[in-house]
Amino acid sequence: MKENNKLKKFGSLLVASSLLAGVLAGCGAGDSGTSSGGGSSSGGSKDGDTIKIGANLELSGNVASYGSSIGLGAELAVKEINDAGGIDGKKIELIKVDNKSENSEATAAAIKLATQDKVVAMMSPATSGNTIATVQIANDNKIPLVGAAATAPNVTVNDDGSVNEYAFRTCFIDPFQGIVAANFATGELKAKNVAIFADNASDYAKGLAKSFKDTIAENGGKVVKEEAYVAKDTDFRTQLTNIKSSNPDFIFIPGYYEEVGLIVKQAREMGITVPLMGADGWDSPTLVELAGADALNNTYITNHYSAEDPDQKIQDFVKAFKAANGDKAPDAFNALGYDTVYYIADAIKRAGSTDGEAIKKALAETKDLSLVTGTFSVDENHNPIKTATVLEFKDGKQVFNSKVNP
């Protein structure tokens, strides 16, 4: 989902394929605009010395933090796998394309990866909306698409209940996050009267709000006020005034960090002191810059993992990521990008093939795969069954609170 500007934009989508092949062949692991992981791009993704995996990511635009973070995690996984001998002796080549945080660009990037770069699998965009814009391309070209952070249910399952054959994900889905947040509000924080302030133009936020609201009712709580905003709004005082007048003892704010940071800041300035909570869309260093460390005290998020979790697998990942990224602690999107590459690589290895149908089958049959964000098996809807983590902000830092099983 958002920022970390260490990655460069991919070049123009209009570059001729012959020139593009030359560019890719000349790029090393450090060129974040095209590919990473080493290996030659000659001979094609299936017949050469490399296995091409596409990464359709938000490397610029309003949610660049998410895509860039996913990309950094993916690069680390590719390096580790390649250093260990690759997949059956073949190195992974990660081809990143910047979708500029826009649906139309995400579609164009998916077409490029599928038809020009001939990747055998694609990492989807970070956001659900951008991912949904690419699902049909994956299905049409029979190329597995794996979302690191696309949490909306309709990424993998359509409104009519049909499963998108080639769409998978590494993250848990929005309804699970909404349920966890509601249970935490009523169980741990003893909230009874809650408010919801959601982005009404976002499938991500609407899905979270619905599952949260339904679970609050099941738990005997009451939603005393619902307000809405849209992406790129900057003044939320009118809605916050309405929320404050309803006297909630907890406010759920599903959305992305760019708006959430300002909402939290303005809420505290208006004297709203009750606990605030969101989901993985809050997870960005920029959130602290926008909201301020003090304003974020007494706020919580559901997330995919915590760098403070004492689990040895997590701590090994944290150590490796810090070593590769200037001692920067990895966030959840770094971890999800890392896990997504390992999930795809595991499927390719088990499939014994780079054929899309074979990889798809192996992805669907994944069972008890141990990754940084949890051990998971894939259900009939191509979603992982895995744990969630609750984090609390204290003086601008994310602090591990608890784990919640599905």
Side-chain angles (χ1 to χ4, degrees):
M1 299 177 183
K2 288 188 180 186
E3 87 187 0
N4 197 318
N5 293 316
K6 293 183 180 178
L7 300 178
K8 299 177 182 177
K9 292 183 179 179
F10 193 89
S12 169
L13 294 176
L14 300 179
V15 175
S17 59
S18 59
L19 176 60
L20 178 63
V23 172
L24 291 176
C27 290
D31 189 330
S32 60
T34 52
S35 64
S36 66
S40 169
S41 60
S42 63
S45 59
K46 296 180 181 180
D47 303 319
D49 296 327
T50 63
I51 294 173
K52 292 184 180 181
I53 296 176
N56 184 346
L57 300 173
E58 296 84 343
L59 304 181
S60 64
N62 66 319
V63 289
S65 172
Y66 301 142
S68 298
S69 289
I70 288 170
L72 286 177
E75 287 178 332
L76 177 60
V78 168
K79 182 179 186 305
E80 289 180 353
I81 293 169
N82 286 345
D83 286 351
I87 302 173
D88 294 331
K90 292 188 176 183
K91 299 295 181 71
I92 296 173
E93 180 181 0
L94 186 69
I95 302 177
K96 298 190 297 297
V97 181
D98 181 12
N99 62 44
K100 302 177 184 177
S101 302
E102 297 177 7
N103 287 359
S104 60
E105 293 286 346
T107 301
I111 292 171
K112 176 189 177 298
L113 288 168
T115 63
Q116 294 184 33
D117 296 310
K118 304 294 185 182
V119 299
V120 303
M122 292 187 285
M123 296 177 65
S124 88
T127 67
S128 296
N130 288 339
T131 296
I132 290 166
T134 71
V135 169
Q136 193 57 50
I137 295 161
N139 287 337
D140 290 346
N141 288 277
K142 301 186 185 305
I143 297 174
L145 176 75
V146 184
T151 52
N154 59 338
V155 166
T156 55
V157 180
N158 298 307
D159 292 339
D160 62 4
S162 62
V163 176
N164 283 314
E165 190 177 0
Y166 283 84
F168 297 84
R169 67 179 113 218
T170 315
C171 54
F172 45 63
I173 61 176
D174 291 335
F176 182 48
Q177 289 197 86
I179 291 167
V180 170
N183 287 340
F184 184 80
T186 57
E188 298 299 318
L189 301 181
K190 309 303 179 186
K192 297 184 182 300
N193 298 308
V194 306
I196 300 172
F197 191 17
D199 180 350
N200 68 357
S202 163
D203 289 338
Y204 166 78
K206 289 188 289 187
L208 281 164
K210 183 182 185 304
S211 60
F212 176 84
K213 183 178 180 179
D214 291 347
T215 307
I216 285 290
E218 292 171 5
N219 292 351
K222 182 180 180 182
V223 177
V224 295
K225 193 67 177 177
E226 291 186 70
E227 288 286 339
Y229 66 91
V230 296
K232 299 186 180 179
D233 281 352
T234 58
D235 188 346
F236 307 93
R237 292 175 180 84
T238 298
Q239 300 100 312
L240 289 170
T241 296
N242 294 337
I243 289 172
K244 185 178 180 181
S245 67
S246 67
N247 295 315
D249 46 27
F250 176 95
I251 304 173
F252 186 54
I253 312 173
Y256 298 144
Y257 70 87
E258 194 168 53
E259 292 77 31
V260 168
L262 298 176
I263 291 171
V264 171
K265 178 180 173 62
Q266 292 170 23
R268 297 310 194 208
E269 288 173 347
M270 294 171 60
I272 297 174
T273 60
V274 300
L276 311 177
M277 189 167 187
D280 57 345
W282 287 36
D283 190 15
S284 167
T286 303
L287 178 71
V288 182
E289 297 172 15
L290 292 170
D294 288 344
L296 281 167
N297 286 330
N298 200 28
T299 69
Y300 305 84
I301 61 172
T302 55
N303 214 339
H304 304 268
Y305 110 120
S306 169
E308 293 188 343
D309 191 317
D311 182 276
Q312 189 60 51
K313 191 175 189 71
I314 290 175
Q315 290 309 308
D316 288 344
F317 162 69
V318 171
K319 182 179 179 181
F321 187 89
K322 284 184 173 182
N325 293 279
D327 206 39
K328 174 188 177 292
D331 62 24
F333 295 98
N334 297 138
L336 286 166
Y338 179 87
D339 279 358
T340 298
V341 169
Y342 270 101
Y343 176 31
I344 293 171
D346 174 74
I348 293 172
K349 186 172 181 61
R350 284 188 288 108
S353 169
T354 55
D355 175 70
E357 179 73 21
I359 297 171
K360 176 199 72 173
K361 184 173 183 291
L363 287 167
E365 293 174 349
T366 298
K367 185 174 178 59
D368 297 330
L369 179 63
S370 178
L371 299 173
V372 169
T373 58
T375 297
F376 74 78
S377 299
V378 175
D379 68 15
E380 67 276 10
N381 293 323
H382 293 182
N383 299 321
I385 303 168
K386 62 194 297 190
T387 60
T389 298
V390 175
L391 304 174
E392 179 181 359
F393 282 93
K394 291 186 178 180
D395 298 325
K397 304 293 184 183
Q398 291 183 7
V399 177
F400 177 71
N401 181 285
S402 57
K403 278 186 175 179
V404 181
N405 291 319

